[in-house]
Amino acid sequence: MQAVRRRRAQWTQQLPPRFRHFTLSARLRDISSKQQPSAIALPQYNIKHLVANQDLYIRSCNVRRLPNVANTVPVIAQLYGKTNTLRKDRTTVYTQRKALQNQLHIAKDKTRILEQLGKLKDAGNAVDTEIEELERKIRDYMDRMPNLIPEDCPLDEERVVKYICPPPSDPAELKRNDDEFIQPIDFDDKTLADHVDIGVQLGIIDLMTASKVSGHAFYYLIGDGAVLEQALVHYALDKARRRGFKMMIPPSVVRREFAHACGFRPRDTNGEQQIYNITIAGGELGSGDEGRLCLAGTAEIPLAAWASDKSFDVKECPVKMVGVSRSYRAEAGSRGRDTRGIYRVHEFTKVELFSWVPGPTEETPEGAPTSADMLEELRELQEDIISGLGLHARVLDMPGADLGASAYRKYDIEAWMPGRQNWGEITSASNCTDYQSRRLHTRVKVDGKTLTFAHTLNGTAMAVPRAIVAILENYYDPERKAVWIPKPLRKYFDNRAWIEQQ
């Protein structure tokens, strides 16, 4: 036992201070399995807020169709109350032990006092063990608890906020020349070519070879198809940088605990695999390190993780980053027209916006940016990017039933895709309030003093495959058998106006 204690002490001293609050049982499990401890300290859930506002959390769970999670809200409150009672009992035990220890050096009958100290020590250890078990249960329940939702959030149906670039209704307004591409949209025309037919005809998309090489839901972009991807990336980055976003190239491989902290789960509510896990035989610290890495489904994860254990000064907020990365989704949807081609794929390039602002407290300086204001700024930037491409789209305030665990509010922008005869999501923007920062320990401070947990926001600047689908299907000229290039992208195409057969 003494050897175990020595190993435990040596192991604990090697950890950063923030990790030394792990329970004894957790530390011993890590030693015995030779696993590296989590790269993130335990989350700092706002349990007091849940206990004081149980109705809000139950409503959020029910709106998100998580009745089993809603049922845990009163359970958490009960466990929290019991834990507080036990903490008081522990304080009483420690106070009694301290008093006896003070008597020990002057007492004549030390044997009796030592016996009492032994009993109190056992009682204290028993209380500690019970508290640790209750805290573990609370953490397990809180881990599944989603963010709250605002009172005015739509419940089951999205709400149309506005339309972008509404198309003409008069067929006489049809124009297809180098300077203009204007054509009415027929929402009932089932004969229009989709992006697969167009891309294959032009020789810029190769799905068959990709299927042979990599499997279903992968693709090659060739020639002007590859140029179009790079043009869209640079176009989105230029727009973001002009709005004060600092560029970052994040890693696409992250530790699974960071994906989990951001609200991404290995499986969705239907049990389908969402995340590609990476297995490293004999990993970084031996076999115990297997399965700790995964491929990021979006740059949101490494961008959020970049600020883990960081504190921003309120004067530098909002902190705004734009990241470019390859993104990986294990679940690419059911096969059929909705997922035909490159609309829903396993691997793609994405430009992601991310921002940190102070959470609201009484000490927050007047005029400090709020997450509600920042969400509107993200949405305005996304609208600017889409309108610059001339795409007919609609902005949606998404219902609580469609929100991910981390999102407090979310806007989607959907473009009309004639070949698919449907609207297709091309951007989203989410306000996650302090859901992620409490799990990643990202704070905001004033005058060097920690103020509050940051509020995090994320948004799509460019999901490349979706944008390519929208451009090919909206700007295809069947007579010329070519695709008109939106003017902001032409400088990347040597100022050409058309993508023609390769």
Side-chain angles (χ1 to χ4, degrees), residues 17-66:
R18 64 181 184 276
F19 296 136
R20 294 177 188 170
H21 64 281
F22 284 1
T23 64
L24 169 61
S25 58
R27 287 196 292 259
L28 290 176
R29 281 198 302 272
D30 283 334
I31 291 171
S32 62
S33 63
K34 298 182 180 179
Q35 289 184 348
Q36 188 179 18
S38 171
I40 317 174
L42 294 176
Q44 294 194 2
Y45 300 117
N46 196 348
I47 304 172
K48 288 183 179 179
H49 188 268
L50 179 142
V51 172
N53 300 273
Q54 295 181 46
D55 290 345
L56 295 180
Y57 286 86
I58 291 173
R59 174 179 178 268
S60 175
C61 293
N62 286 331
V63 168
R64 296 170 191 262
R65 299 169 185 163
L66 300 171

Side-chain angles (χ1 to χ4, degrees), residues 314-326:
V314 70
K315 295 177 182 177
E316 60 182 322
C317 291
V319 177
K320 301 190 291 187
M321 292 287 183
V322 56
V324 185
S325 73
R326 297 291 280 178

Side-chain angles (χ1 to χ4, degrees), residues 198-326:
I198 297 167
V200 171
Q201 179 191 76
L202 297 178
I204 62 175
I205 298 176
D206 186 347
L207 294 167
M208 291 188 65
T209 304
S211 179
K212 179 178 70 174
V213 172
S214 303
H216 173 68
F218 289 92
Y219 60 97
Y220 282 96
L221 293 178
I222 303 168
D224 281 347
V227 176
L228 180 56
E229 167 160 321
Q230 294 303 310
L232 289 166
V233 168
H234 286 288
Y235 166 68
L237 287 174
D238 289 345
K239 288 281 190 180
R241 290 172 63 204
R242 290 193 192 103
R243 299 261 187 147
F245 285 81
K246 188 175 184 179
M247 187 172 165
M248 177 183 287
I249 305 293
S252 291
V253 176
V254 297
R255 284 178 169 150
R256 289 168 61 183
E257 54 260 40
F258 286 102
H260 189 85
C262 290
F264 290 82
R265 299 295 184 262
R267 295 184 181 275
D268 63 14
T269 54
N270 297 321
E272 292 192 49
Q273 187 73 23
Q274 296 188 99
I275 296 176
Y276 282 111
N277 293 319
I278 301 174
T279 299
I280 305 175
E284 196 175 18
L285 293 178
S287 60
D289 201 37
E290 285 189 22
R292 291 197 63 204
L293 300 176
C294 66
L295 297 177
T298 166
E300 172 193 343
I301 298 170
L303 287 172
W306 172 78
S308 61
D309 297 313
K310 284 186 172 67
S311 292
F312 298 113
D313 193 287
V314 70
K315 295 177 182 177
E316 60 182 322
C317 291
V319 177
K320 301 190 291 187
M321 292 287 183
V322 56
V324 185
S325 73
R326 297 291 280 178

Side-chain angles (χ1 to χ4, degrees), residues 107-127:
K108 294 182 179 179
D109 186 2
K110 291 183 170 41
T111 302
R112 181 181 60 83
I113 294 179
L114 289 172
E115 288 178 355
Q116 291 177 328
L117 283 172
K119 292 178 180 179
L120 287 173
K121 181 180 179 181
D122 292 340
N125 289 340
V127 172

Side-chain angles (χ1 to χ4, degrees), residues 166-223:
S169 56
D170 186 355
E173 295 188 51
L174 175 65
K175 295 180 182 179
R176 293 172 180 160
N177 55 58
D178 287 3
D179 292 327
E180 294 180 292
F181 195 101
I182 301 173
Q183 62 181 358
I185 292 179
D186 186 347
F187 292 96
D188 298 316
D189 189 348
K190 308 293 185 183
T191 65
L192 298 173
D194 70 2
H195 70 281
V196 177
D197 297 330
I198 297 167
V200 171
Q201 179 191 76
L202 297 178
I204 62 175
I205 298 176
D206 186 347
L207 294 167
M208 291 188 65
T209 304
S211 179
K212 179 178 70 174
V213 172
S214 303
H216 173 68
F218 289 92
Y219 60 97
Y220 282 96
L221 293 178
I222 303 168

